[in-house]
Amino acid sequence: MSNGLSATRERASGDATRRAPVGIVIATRDRSASLAVTLRHLLALPERPEIVVADNASTDGTRAMLARDFPRVRVLALPYNCGALARTHGVRALDTPYVAFSDDDSWWAPGALSTAARLFDEHPRLGLVSARTLVGPADDPDPLNDVLAASPLGPATDLPGTQVLGFLGCAAVARRTAYLDAGGYHPLLFFGAEETLLAYDLAARGWGVTHCPDVVAHHHPDPGPRTGRPAVVRRNELLTAWLRRPLPYALARTRALAAEARHDPHARRALREALGRLPAALRDRRALPPHVERAARRLEGAQA
C-alpha cells in the first residue's frame, strides 16, 4: 500500500491563501446544458476547488461552451469516449491530495469538501469517502444512503463512518494516492456499476472505504430512462466477479445469468457482452485477499 501517512504532509505547505486541498473531476459526454448547471454550483462553493472536466469526445459543443462560459475550468479534451477511465485521466491531471468526483448532473454541498478533507487528514488509512446523496429539487435521500449506512462491515477504529465496498460514483471523494495505487476505474467496465471493483481494489491494497453522511452531494439525474443500462450493469457485475471473486462464485454467477437470458433480453445482452470481454477479464484476474472476500460475502449475505 502507498504511504498514506504522507497525505497529511501534502496539506502542510502553503498558507491561508493556498488552493483548496480537494480538486474535482467531472467526466462528461454530450450533456453541455446539464454540465453548465453543475459547474455553476461547483464554482460557487466556498472551498473554491480546482475543477477538471474530462470531456469524452463530446459532439454537442461542450468544449466551446466551456471555453466561452467557464474559463476557470480546466478541460481535458479526450480524443475518444473513455467511459469511466476519463475520471482517472482527470485525477492524474490534478495534484491536489484529495479528489472529489461529480457527474455532469451532480455537485457538492457547501462545506462538504472541507469536511472530507478533514476526515482524510485525521485518518491516514482512509482511501475513499462515500457521501450522503440528496436527489432532485426536493433533496430526497437516495435509497443507497440507508443501504450504505446499514453496512454489516460496521466501523473501524482507524476510520470514520461505516465501512463499505460500494459507493455512488458521482458522490465520492478519494485520496489521490490511494486512487492511483488501486489503479482507478477499470477500463474493461467502461461505465455502469464500475464502483464496486474500485472499492474492492482499494480494500485489497489496505485502504479504507467508508460511508460518511456528514459529506453531502446533490444529484439531479435526468428523469428519462437510461437506455441499455440494466444490461450494462449486469454485464459489469459478472465481469467484476470474474476479475476478482473466486472461480466457483464467478461460474455460479455466469450460470445464473445464462438461465435468466432464456427469457430476459437484458440478461441476454449482458451475457453476450460479458462473454466477449471474458478473455480480457481473465488476463487481469486478481483474486481478492481472503479478508476482503469475506467482507464481500458478508455484504451479499446481508443484502440477500
Side-chain angles (χ1 to χ4, degrees):
M1 168 176 136
S2 296
N3 184 5
L5 293 174
S6 65
T8 53
R9 293 195 290 271
E10 290 179 291
R11 291 194 67 203
S13 60
D15 54 24
T17 62
R18 72 187 185 281
R19 60 182 175 172
V22 185
I24 297 177
V25 169
I26 304 171
T28 189
R29 177 175 168 83
D30 290 340
R31 296 187 59 180
S32 58
S34 177
L35 176 61
V37 173
T38 289
L39 288 173
R40 283 193 282 271
H41 283 282
L42 294 177
L43 289 168
L45 289 175
E47 294 94 337
R48 297 182 63 81
E50 182 178 1
I51 301 171
V52 171
V53 172
D55 179 53
N56 271 321
S58 292
T59 59
D60 67 343
T62 289
R63 296 176 189 179
M65 180 273 293
L66 290 169
R68 180 185 67 245
D69 298 337
F70 299 99
R72 280 179 50 194
V73 172
R74 292 176 61 190
V75 180
L76 294 182
L78 301 175
Y80 59 91
N81 186 359
C82 302
L85 192 61
R87 296 172 181 149
T88 302
H89 289 300
V91 171
R92 291 192 176 118
L94 286 168
D95 60 3
T96 53
Y98 315 126
V99 180
F101 297 97
S102 289
D103 282 351
D104 46 28
D105 58 5
S106 73
W107 51 87
W108 294 93
L113 301 185
S114 295
T115 299
R118 176 179 55 79
L119 294 174
F120 283 111
D121 285 350
E122 293 173 353
H123 302 88
R125 191 169 72 86
L126 181 60
L128 184 141
V129 165
S130 167
R132 177 165 56 98
T133 309
L134 305 178
V135 180
D139 284 343
D140 296 318
D142 191 301
L144 185 60
N145 295 338
D146 289 340
V147 175
L148 295 172
S151 167
L153 303 183
T157 56
D158 62 341
L159 295 171
T162 303
Q163 296 179 96
V164 294
L165 284 176
F167 57 93
L168 189 62
C170 67
V173 188
R175 189 185 301 274
R176 183 176 182 273
T177 51
Y179 181 94
L180 295 176
D181 181 46
Y185 285 103
H186 199 289
L188 187 62
L189 304 188
F190 197 71
F191 262 134
E194 70 274 14
E195 298 93 344
T196 298
L197 182 56
L198 177 56
Y200 284 170
D201 288 346
L202 285 163
R205 302 286 290 178
W207 296 103
V209 181
T210 68
H211 176 64
C212 298
D214 290 343
V215 180
V216 178
H218 294 274
H219 189 200
H220 286 231
D222 188 329
R226 302 178 71 176
T227 304
R229 183 168 178 83
V232 169
V233 167
R234 292 159 89 175
R235 176 198 77 195
N236 286 347
E237 289 173 346
L238 182 57
L239 287 171
T240 297
W242 281 103
L243 282 160
R244 298 293 182 263
R245 305 298 297 276
L247 288 175
Y249 176 93
L251 285 167
R253 291 294 299 266
T254 305
R255 286 194 295 267
L257 186 61
E260 294 176 38
R262 295 171 188 163
H263 55 80
D264 184 340
H266 295 303
R268 281 197 295 275
R269 176 185 165 188
L271 181 64
R272 182 177 66 252
E273 293 184 0
L275 292 177
R277 291 164 170 78
L278 186 56
L282 292 174
R283 286 193 297 271
D284 199 31
R285 176 176 166 76
R286 297 194 308 273
L288 295 174
H291 71 283
V292 182
E293 175 61 28
R294 287 193 297 270
R297 294 277 183 162
R298 188 176 179 187
L299 281 166
E300 288 167 349
Q303 291 166 0

